Amino acid sequence: MDAHAQRATKKNAEKFLAEVEANLKDLSEEAARTAWVRATYITYDTSWLEARISAELTKLSVQYANEAKRYDRTDLPADMRRKMNILKQSITLPAPSEEGAADRLSEITTRLDNAYATGTIEFGGETVPQNQTEILMRTLRDPEQLEEVWTKWRENSKAMKDDYVAMVEIANEGARELGYADLGQMWRSNYDMDPDAFAEEVDRLWGQVKPLYDNLHCAVKYSLNEEYGDEVVPLDQPIRADLLGNMWAQSWGSIYDLVKPEGIEAEAVDIEAALKAHGYTPLKMVQQAESFFTSLGFEPLPETFYERSQITKPVGREVVCHASAWNLNDEDDLRIKMCTEVNADDFQTVHHELGHNFYQRAYSKQDYLFRNDPNDGFHEAIGDMVALSITPAYLQEIGLIDEAPPAEADLPILMQKALDGVAFLPFGLLVDKWRWQVFSGELQPNEWNDGWWALREEYQGIRPPAERPADAFDPGAKYHIPGNTPYMRYFLARILQFQFYKAACDQIGWEGPLHRCSFYGSEEVGQRFNAMLEKGNSQPWQDSLEEFTGTREMDGSAMVEYFRPLMDYLEEQNAGRNCGW
Ligand code: X8Z
Ligand code: ZN
């Protein structure tokens, strides 16, 4: 069809959308299968194939985005208008139409993703692959060794910088061609609200939960000071980033043993120990997570899920270990790709990933362009909302622990959860604050690393273990930067997860303290939840949120309520302390 010959009538818009949906469905299935093969078997050839098809998909998506603009002034029904908007807004990395740009862009992005996945460090006389470096950061306790692993992992990302510079230039040009000021503005445009209002919205949400973070930060700083002394953890400075039990200091659950509440005998449940004591394998962890969803009335995963998923790291070939969930054909070819180990983090992550899969299945009956979430925080919140129901009572019910801990264990349990969920908030917020500054040119390439650390200090109150070298590209040490996955979704998800959870607990008539609620086994919650999931991206997120929770606003107060007992305790502990940084 010669698009330019068509007049921008409603009838032509209908024809246009039908053609777009058919063609994108076809090409994206092929692209997804190619991407799967590359991510689970990284070679020169699989990378070549993926780069080629992803360039083709980018070109087609950009072409359709431009054609959609022709209907900007046509009077269209709401669903068609929404599809046009989706076409114009939803390309993560657009290329300009200039010959060769899309190909260059996808060569770069494939190379960046591979560089991250295949990065290694030399430590203790061994070559350690990416996913094992994460485990070292979780388990080592010697500050010198932690600094060594932390610093060596960031040697890998230095080499990514030139590619990243070129990528930003091309994708920004692509965004400008589509009518945006820069790529950051394009990303912020995808939330059923004005892009500037969205930036204010995330700051508002952060303001709601920041007191919780500040108190957690203070308590952790003092505990680490006790453990490591004034020299390693001076009380008047941000915390050293490598001491927090995580490669990026984004969630701190692994240092629970160092920072657990004092003077309380009861302990949080040691999930890793419980999994190991009960002979859990990675496969069994996935099946356990699946059974949570089926307890809500969701259909079991298809056989092919277990045949085709990558649940553990295969031997003898390079793969992308960073966890992800896929629907290869938009019907029922659901899979996860993980390098699962038996530990608490991965138990959380299998729930997270299955949340994606059950969501993908729920909206698969929508028209092609609506097969997504209405706000990218939703996708990330589903599995995490379910994981909040992993209470001691639930763990006892599934036989992972013999006895539920006494009520005094509430504080340690909340502390454990806060170390992951609350600690994550400023990190979730700042990754894209940094990218927004990079895309807008507010930060120039020679300022990128310092700009990164300025945000890390401002929001997280952390600092690098030593001054960073001039050629460092530390943001590249986090998967989502070379992987080009927008990150604000995880911040939103952290807020939404508690909102969804509180709504589900209200639906089952829960009257106890919020943090003890588990909606395991509630088909009523399952049905109402599924009703929201099925809608996919066919309506604004405000409508979907309202249908499930009764409110049209994202709101951090459910999270604040959940952690209220911990907040009271922390405020008491921190009274008179030198908090802040
Ligand atoms: O990337 C993920 C998921 C895949 S969508 C494993 N997450 C973020 C991260 O690891 O940085 C989940 C929590 C935040
Ligand atoms: Zn996810």
Side-chain angles (χ1 to χ4, degrees):
M1 166 173 102
D2 178 7
H4 301 283
Q6 301 288 344
R7 286 187 310 123
T9 58
K10 175 173 170 239
K11 201 141 175 270
N12 284 333
E14 248 162 39
K15 269 195 349 212
F16 167 68
L17 286 172
E19 182 184 313
V20 163
E21 294 198 294
N23 291 347
L24 283 180
K25 177 178 169 11
D26 241 36
L27 192 62
S28 61
E29 179 172 350
E30 191 179 341
R33 295 197 185 283
T34 312
W36 175 269
V37 176
R38 196 270 310 174
T40 57
Y41 184 20
I42 302 176
T43 68
Y44 176 83
D45 299 300
T46 57
S47 305
W48 188 92
L49 287 165
E50 191 195 351
R52 192 166 81 164
I53 188 126
S54 92
E56 211 180 309
L57 190 56
T58 300
K59 279 183 238 178
L60 191 65
S61 308
V62 169
Q63 180 199 321
Y64 287 153
N66 277 312
E67 287 178 26
K69 280 199 279 186
R70 300 191 318 118
Y71 296 94
D72 279 353
R73 276 184 294 275
T74 311
D75 191 19
L76 296 176
D79 61 331
M80 288 174 70
R81 175 55 60 211
R82 189 163 181 82
K83 287 183 181 178
M84 294 292 183
N85 289 341
I86 290 170
L87 281 176
K88 287 188 292 182
Q89 287 158 358
S90 310
I91 311 173
T92 304
L93 287 183
S97 43
E98 174 203 324
E99 183 69 28
D103 306 273
R104 275 205 307 285
L105 182 63
S106 73
E107 271 165 37
I108 292 172
T109 54
T110 305
R111 191 157 59 228
L112 282 170
D113 203 50
N114 283 346
Y116 183 92
T118 61
T120 60
I121 66 165
E122 296 300 317
F123 181 72
E126 303 210 12
T127 302
V128 183
Q130 184 276 324
N131 67 318
Q132 298 292 330
T133 63
E134 288 184 42
I135 294 177
L136 288 174
M137 291 306 296
R138 275 208 281 264
T139 48
L140 292 173
R141 290 290 180 266
D142 172 355
E144 274 178 35
Q145 288 186 325
L146 283 166
E147 179 173 351
E148 182 183 344
V149 174
W150 189 97
T151 308
K152 283 182 169 167
W153 176 244
R154 281 157 182 78
E155 286 296 303
N156 280 304
S157 49
K158 288 180 176 176
M160 295 173 183
K161 182 154 175 193
D162 289 348
D163 268 343
Y164 205 81
V165 171
M167 189 203 81
V168 169
E169 206 169 296
I170 300 173
N172 256 340
E173 197 48 50
R176 281 193 279 267
E177 254 190 44
L178 291 174
Y180 298 92
D182 64 75
L183 183 58
Q185 193 198 51
M186 184 165 169
W187 285 10
R188 292 189 298 277
S189 297
N190 216 3
Y191 292 94
D192 294 306
M193 56 165 72
D194 172 81
D196 293 336
F198 177 70
E200 283 170 28
E201 181 65 358
V202 296
D203 287 338
R204 179 185 70 81
L205 293 168
W206 169 234
Q208 285 186 295
V209 289
K210 184 175 184 301
L212 199 50
Y213 180 76
D214 288 345
N215 273 290
L216 181 70
H217 180 281
C218 191
V220 166
K221 182 175 71 175
Y222 271 77
S223 298
L224 291 177
N225 172 274
E226 245 176 65
E227 173 76 16
Y228 294 117
D230 285 338
E231 194 152 321
V232 179
V233 186
L235 288 171
D236 58 354
Q237 277 191 39
I239 304 173
R240 241 178 75 168
D242 53 339
L243 303 179
L244 290 158
N246 177 278
M247 180 60 90
W248 311 277
Q250 69 178 64
S251 50
W252 308 343
S254 313
I255 57 160
Y256 170 78
D257 57 317
L258 303 182
V259 301
K260 62 186 175 192
E262 274 173 22
I264 299 174
E265 232 172 80
E267 290 272 355
V269 180
D270 185 341
I271 297 209
E272 177 170 339
L275 290 169
K276 288 186 168 154
H278 288 82
Y280 268 66
T281 57
L283 174 63
K284 195 162 173 211
M285 286 160 65
V286 176
Q287 289 166 333
Q288 187 61 59
E290 179 189 14
S291 76
F292 198 113
F293 287 90
T294 53
S295 89
L296 302 177
F298 288 91
E299 287 297 310
L301 292 164
E303 284 284 303
T304 53
F305 171 90
Y306 287 102
E307 289 160 16
R308 298 173 191 167
S309 284
Q310 175 196 296
I311 292 176
T312 53
K313 187 173 188 208
V315 185
R317 61 181 207 253
E318 300 273 19
V319 302
V320 177
C321 272
H322 189 84
S324 52
W326 304 54
N327 189 355
L328 282 282
N329 62 357
D330 266 346
E331 282 159 33
D332 218 23
D333 194 350
L334 302 166
R335 307 179 197 176
I336 58 169
K337 181 188 59 58
M338 286 183 62
C339 298
T340 316
E341 310 256 347
V342 180
N343 61 45
D345 274 8
D346 280 1
F347 195 49
Q348 166 84 24
T349 304
V350 293
H351 287 83
H352 177 93
E353 297 306 330
L354 291 196
H356 286 308
N357 282 146
F358 282 100
Y359 201 173
Q360 288 159 344
R361 178 196 262 166
Y363 58 57
S364 66
K365 284 177 203 69
Q366 288 287 345
D367 289 352
Y368 177 81
L369 287 168
F370 292 154
R371 288 178 205 160
N372 206 341
D373 51 1
N375 154 337
D376 59 6
F378 279 47
H379 236 301
E380 302 303 335
I382 306 308
D384 291 356
M385 169 251 202
V386 162
L388 284 177
S389 273
I390 306 180
T391 56
Y394 166 73
L395 291 170
Q396 191 186 13
E397 192 165 341
I398 64 168
L400 254 178
I401 54 175
D402 298 330
E403 245 178 272
E408 303 87 77
D410 278 19
L411 274 182
I413 290 168
L414 283 173
M415 182 71 175
Q416 174 82 60
K417 298 228 183 210
L419 287 169
D420 285 324
V422 176
F424 179 80
L425 290 161
F427 183 76
L429 184 70
L430 75 81
V431 173
D432 278 356
K433 280 196 179 269
W434 179 80
R435 267 191 292 216
W436 293 351
Q437 292 177 3
V438 164
F439 295 148
S440 75
E442 185 183 336
L443 284 176
Q444 288 299 306
N446 64 344
E447 304 164 319
W448 281 357
N449 213 55
D450 289 345
W452 172 255
W453 281 106
L455 289 166
R456 295 268 267 171
E457 176 168 338
E458 179 185 349
Y459 286 95
Q460 284 186 284
I462 63 168
R463 65 185 166 92
E467 205 179 316
R468 300 299 296 142
D471 61 343
F473 180 52
D474 294 333
K478 173 67 194 164
Y479 168 78
H480 301 69
I481 300 297
N484 281 301
T485 308
Y487 211 81
M488 200 55 85
R489 56 183 62 173
Y490 301 107
F491 173 75
L492 301 177
R494 204 47 90 236
I495 302 287
L496 287 167
Q497 156 193 15
F498 286 90
Q499 257 182 293
F500 291 154
Y501 169 77
K502 183 176 158 60
C505 293
D506 287 346
Q507 287 163 21
I508 62 167
W510 178 258
E511 283 177 353
L514 188 54
H515 63 275
R516 283 201 211 140
C517 159
S518 177
F519 53 82
Y520 178 65
S522 169
E523 296 206 2
E524 192 204 329
V525 168
Q527 265 166 24
R528 294 183 58 165
F529 201 44
N530 193 51
M532 175 173 80
L533 302 188
E534 272 177 357
K535 291 269 168 72
N537 193 11
S538 65
Q539 62 185 23
W541 62 262
Q542 292 89 340
D543 293 349
S544 293
L545 186 65
E546 185 172 24
E547 282 164 21
F548 189 68
T549 69
T551 160
R552 300 182 63 78
E553 294 227 322
M554 292 188 274
D555 181 2
S557 61
M559 186 172 195
V560 169
E561 178 185 340
Y562 182 94
F563 286 110
R564 172 54 57 195
L566 180 72
M567 179 69 169
D568 292 342
Y569 167 83
L570 291 175
E571 278 179 336
E572 216 179 277
Q573 292 287 306
N574 292 334
R577 280 178 166 176
N578 184 7
C579 289
W581 51 85

